[in-house]
Amino acid sequence: MDIARSLAELAQADRVSFYPGRWDADPKRVTHEDAVTLLQDPRWVSFDTEPDDKRLYYVNVENLPDE
């Protein structure tokens, strides 16, 4: 799970933000700690999920508007 490990490192460095759920449901951002926990579950980082499954989206924080 190299991808999950790399994403967890980016989360801890505050380089990415995470949003679990369905994108069309406007998922809410989770804390980095919660994201790291989710990243330990392979279902959240799998590329072969069903279309209706929830996913863990991530965004480079440099691409986000200031809040």
Side-chain angles (χ1 to χ4, degrees), residues 9-67:
E9 290 172 8
L10 290 170
Q12 293 170 336
D14 200 29
R15 301 285 309 272
V16 293
S17 288
F18 294 88
Y19 303 80
R22 291 178 46 98
W23 195 252
D24 59 356
D26 194 23
K28 303 300 177 211
R29 186 183 326 184
V30 295
T31 66
H32 296 313
E33 293 80 14
D34 289 343
V36 169
T37 299
L38 291 173
L39 288 166
Q40 294 173 9
D41 182 340
R43 293 176 294 177
W44 288 101
V45 292
S46 176
F47 289 102
D48 61 353
T49 59
E50 295 297 321
D52 291 335
D53 287 347
K54 293 180 180 180
R55 293 183 169 90
L56 182 62
Y57 298 94
Y58 58 94
V59 178
N60 178 337
V61 296
E62 293 179 11
N63 294 333
L64 295 175
D66 292 332
E67 294 185 67

